[in-house]
Amino acid sequence: MKKKSIEDRILDYLKAGNKISQWDAIDLFKYTRLSATIFNLKERGYNIADEWCKSESTGKKFKRYWIPEEDEGQYGFGFKVEPKNNNMGHIH
């Protein structure tokens, strides 16, 4: 069985409804290139939201990423891929 890429592991984490920051990526995946992975996922068509946060302990800013609930579907070529409707073309 082929091991999942770090990109797919992070995508699975986001699809599960989690938010992730660089510190989370280091802690959970021992991975330091989260922003590059987010860029690649966006290029693959995923709608990934982000927000700037501020650490309470250090005052430093960081970004947190997630997939918005209404956009959990697969995207491709800049549009959402919807499930095939079996009733297309039928007049009701």
Side-chain angles (χ1 to χ4, degrees):
M1 187 165 156
K2 186 179 173 185
K3 185 178 176 182
K4 279 192 173 184
S5 70
I6 187 66
E7 193 169 289
D8 288 333
R9 290 170 56 207
I10 289 173
L11 179 59
D12 288 345
Y13 185 78
L14 292 170
K15 282 181 171 181
N18 299 302
K19 292 185 176 185
I20 192 167
S21 69
Q22 181 60 63
W23 286 114
D24 298 324
I26 292 169
D27 186 46
L28 297 168
F29 303 106
K30 310 296 184 249
Y31 186 65
T32 60
R33 304 241 326 131
L34 180 63
S35 62
T37 297
I38 297 298
F39 176 85
N40 291 338
L41 291 172
K42 286 180 177 182
E43 287 290 307
R44 285 173 52 186
Y46 289 96
N47 181 22
I48 299 176
D50 62 65
E51 66 183 346
W52 281 103
C53 302
K54 191 174 187 179
S55 170
E56 292 179 17
S57 59
T58 65
K60 296 196 183 249
K61 289 184 177 182
F62 61 94
K63 269 201 175 177
R64 183 175 293 138
Y65 304 94
W66 71 95
I67 296 176
E69 280 186 39
E70 66 274 4
D71 290 325
E72 289 177 346
Q74 170 71 43
Y75 283 72
F77 303 106
F79 57 88
K80 188 171 184 177
V81 178
E82 298 288 345
K84 187 174 181 179
N85 183 349
N86 292 332
N87 295 326
M88 283 183 64
H90 295 282
I91 298 174
H92 295 274

